[in-house]
Amino acid sequence: MSSPGELQAGEVYLASYLIERLIQLGVNVMYGVPGDFNLVFLDEVEAHPKFEWIGCCNELNAGYAADGYARVKQSQANSTGSNASHTTQGGVKGLAALCTTFGVGELSAMNAVAGAYSERVPILHIVGAPSTSAQKNGFLLHHTLGDGKFNVFKTATQGVTAAQAFLESGANAAEEIDRVLRVALETARPTYMTLPTDLVYAPVSKARLDTPVIPPAPTVQDKSTLPTGIKLEDGDVDKVNFVSDEIERLWTGAKNPILIVDACAIRYGVPHLVRDLVDATKVKYFSTPMGKGVLHEDSSKGFGGVYVGAISDPDVKEAVEAADLTILVGAIKSDFNTGEFSYKFDTKSLIELHSDHTIVQYANYPGVSFHTLLPALARTLKAKDVEPVAEHAGLVRKIPDGPKDQMVKQEAFWPLWGKFFKEDDIAIAETGTSSFGMIDVPLPRGGTFVSQVLWGSIGWAGGALLGCLLAAREAGYPRRTILFIGDGSLQLTVQEISTMLRHGLCPIIVLLNNDGYVIERLIHGPEAVYNDISRWKWQELLSFFNADGHPHKTWLAETRGQFEEILANEEFAKADKCQLIEVKMDRLDAPRALQLQAEMSAKLNSA
């Protein structure tokens, strides 16, 4: 392992360069697990006064935490809440940093990195590697496959990251760091770099830190004003204007246009541009499950609900499919995001705006992105005098009656949470019951919804909670962070609650104790043994993980009456300590949307 050598004027150590670059990009913490190939680098991480090491229980959880951190940072960069003045706008935001050791560590984290790639979440995965000399000489080291090969994981890494840097010397190391950071920000996907032990203290030029990773782009004096980091060649201005004119033509002829916002709008940093368009045109707008929370979910402002194809609330489905022009912004047309591909749009009345192309009816325009089009459309499209959105708009507001002495049912459970939420809350939903239950629950102004709809790795939300909490702590204003997760899912990543307690974090963990994998029971095998799990004493969980005695409290709701009393309790709502509320539920009870999705998934699986 290397040791610090004497620096010349204008030089910094490579480790310091990397940390400073991350701080410049808004990354203030690093998640991971120590291993002997990253320990020297971690010395520099720990020594930095503005950077914090968050040691996790395993690398998979660390990757999940980095994912959650990046998502909440994205939401805070595009806040619509009372604290929006604390944020910045434009361009891809929300980078996270993950650090593991070579081989065993990086492979453990790979599922989390793949999920971030799938869902467009930028993470820099730093892998502490053996020294360059050990690699060149093919030493038979631990954490390797015993064959002297050190590039064996390269192929696997290329499949789940947008760029890779395998550092071999200090000569171009800073340039390579900037390259993978730039790709992560431009593509909103994870990137990868190895940091050999003997390069940690390699000297590099400090002057390079004065040049931004993504340099500012010039403003185009036309219909499109470009945000920082968006490039547009002179010859492309005519193309943007042509596409804008085509959309304006369709808009002028439409009587009932709508807008649907999806996940890539927030991944690529354009929620503020979508809001500008909505404000300018007064268009009715909807979201998808992956796009939930991107815009203010208030029917009085034009929000019509969450559209999920055939499994949408009937009023939402009717409103969307009655439109004569639909603008999709940042669409990801996955099965769970579209109601098993049940979208009903006529191509002649469909416009799709993406990060790197635009589709207008049957024509595809590569290179024309929503970064350039949204500002142009906000200035050129005239406001429509359309029928206002119904007050309920498919949003859960009415709470069904039910016996107070029996288990709370899903149909009442989620509307009750809708009454509990307040401005700037963060809601994290595990794949399955929770993510489908949240579909029809409106978020207050400034609220953030975090869910892994596309990758759907069970237990993801338990690890992501840690990152969400730390990002919320950085916001500079109070944000309650509430996790909804089933007993089966939490068993996969439960260890990270100990990390939350160690750092004095204050989540509200809502445990849906329904005795197994409900989403799997609904798709196939309702009574099958493989959908069963071990029953845990959840009421003892926080005490078990809390040897240092950090403030915490556990609640138990076996009946609807008990559940409502807890939600009304001021101590619970204050969220000033780590809390777990265990809610007993029937093993086959499920939200309406999940029941419909499960039926459709079962049919698709059997096809």
Side-chain angles (χ1 to χ4, degrees), residues 517-518 520-532 587-588:
Y517 301 124
V518 174
E520 313 294 4
R521 293 191 198 280
L522 294 177
I523 294 175
H524 186 80
E527 302 298 333
V529 173
Y530 50 71
N531 286 327
D532 294 338
R587 70 197 324 244
L588 289 178

Side-chain angles (χ1 to χ4, degrees), residues 222-389:
D222 209 288
K223 291 184 178 180
S224 299
T225 299
L226 303 181
T228 298
I230 305 304
K231 298 177 181 178
L232 190 65
E233 301 296 333
D234 291 340
D236 289 335
V237 175
D238 290 340
K239 185 192 293 186
V240 172
N241 292 337
F242 175 81
V243 176
S244 177
D245 290 342
E246 285 293 288
I247 294 173
E248 185 179 8
R249 175 180 61 80
L250 294 173
W251 177 268
T252 301
K255 295 182 178 180
N256 183 29
I258 63 168
L259 181 146
I260 301 177
V261 63
D262 208 339
C264 282
I266 193 167
R267 299 290 182 264
Y268 293 93
V270 297
H272 61 296
L273 299 180
V274 183
R275 286 196 299 271
D276 290 346
L277 179 61
V278 169
D279 291 343
T281 61
K282 311 302 179 187
V283 65
K284 289 187 287 188
Y285 61 94
F286 302 79
S287 74
T288 67
M290 292 184 72
K292 182 175 174 61
V294 174
L295 297 180
H296 190 194
E297 297 189 348
D298 184 348
S299 59
S300 68
K301 303 296 184 182
F303 180 64
V306 179
Y307 181 64
V308 207
I311 72 171
S312 306
D313 174 275
D315 292 324
V316 174
K317 184 175 183 295
E318 180 182 357
V320 169
E321 295 175 5
D324 59 356
L325 182 66
T326 301
I327 301 176
L328 296 178
V329 182
I332 297 179
K333 299 178 185 177
S334 67
D335 51 356
F336 279 16
N337 205 37
T338 64
E340 212 65 64
F341 315 112
S342 57
Y343 273 14
K344 301 293 183 183
F345 298 129
D346 185 347
T347 303
K348 294 191 296 295
S349 59
L350 182 63
I351 298 166
E352 295 188 36
L353 310 184
H354 294 276
S355 63
D356 56 2
H357 71 285
T358 295
I359 299 173
V360 181
Q361 297 178 308
Y362 296 97
N364 189 322
Y365 301 94
V368 179
S369 76
F370 47 38
H371 294 98
T372 56
L373 269 180
L374 285 169
L377 297 177
R379 286 191 289 273
T380 58
L381 300 187
K382 300 295 187 288
K384 289 284 186 180
D385 184 16
V386 297
E387 183 179 339
V389 175

Side-chain angles (χ1 to χ4, degrees), residues 470-494:
L470 289 164
R473 189 181 66 179
E474 293 179 14
Y477 53 91
R479 302 199 73 184
R480 297 189 306 182
T481 305
I482 306 161
L483 167 68
F484 297 93
I485 192 167
D487 51 345
S489 296
L490 189 54
Q491 287 191 5
L492 274 78
T493 50
V494 70

Side-chain angles (χ1 to χ4, degrees), residues 148-164:
K149 296 179 180 178
F150 292 88
N151 61 352
V152 68
F153 308 119
K154 184 175 181 179
T155 302
T157 298
Q158 290 172 336
V160 295
T161 58
Q164 308 81 35

Side-chain angles (χ1 to χ4, degrees), residues 110-152:
M110 189 167 286
N111 177 42
V113 174
Y117 185 90
S118 173
E119 302 228 346
R120 280 79 165 176
V121 180
I123 296 172
L124 176 62
H125 184 188
I126 303 161
V127 175
S131 68
T132 56
S133 60
Q135 293 186 47
K136 289 176 182 176
N137 288 295
F139 291 166
L140 216 59
L141 300 180
H142 62 288
H143 297 341
T144 72
L145 298 179
D147 56 5
K149 296 179 180 178
F150 292 88
N151 61 352
V152 68

